Amino acid sequence: MYNDKTLVCKDCGQEFVFTAGEQEFYAEKGFTNEPQRCKSCRDARKGKTGAPARPMFDAVCAECGKACKVPFEPRNDRPVYCSDCFRR
């Protein structure tokens, strides 16, 4: 019933495939327009609409000494643990 279609992304200009399965899904949901953007451009666009990404800071685990990233600025008066040591 549906055949794969090659479409052109309106943001990056790259071709992408609108598969038969995706077309069937669109029809079931009642969507009448074909997608305008490729998956990577859709994902990038979705990321822009949400809350800004939380900054990550470099740290050294106080337990094992491994370098890690944490979502807060480490202070010298408190120990910082990597995710593995923190779970223990």
Side-chain angles (χ1 to χ4, degrees):
M1 181 170 179
Y2 296 101
N3 295 318
D4 290 356
K5 289 184 185 180
T6 301
L7 304 175
V8 178
C9 177
K10 79 177 203 177
D11 286 350
C12 69
Q14 295 291 323
E15 291 184 346
F16 66 98
V17 177
F18 185 36
T19 66
E22 291 170 328
Q23 292 174 51
E24 187 175 346
F25 174 79
Y26 271 51
E28 286 174 6
K29 296 294 181 184
F31 301 148
T32 56
N33 297 326
E34 294 179 341
Q36 303 260 323
R37 295 176 180 86
C38 64
K39 176 148 176 48
S40 60
C41 287
R42 284 193 316 263
D43 291 344
R45 190 171 162 96
K46 285 179 189 175
K48 290 180 185 173
T49 60
R54 193 171 184 184
M56 298 296 278
F57 298 90
D58 292 324
V60 176
C61 178
E63 183 75 23
C64 68
K66 185 170 71 173
C68 59
K69 295 216 179 253
V70 292
F72 57 88
E73 191 166 3
R75 299 186 332 214
N76 291 333
D77 63 333
R78 309 271 321 248
V80 174
Y81 300 103
C82 68
S83 57
D84 293 334
C85 292
F86 184 77
R87 273 189 227 113
R88 285 187 243 142

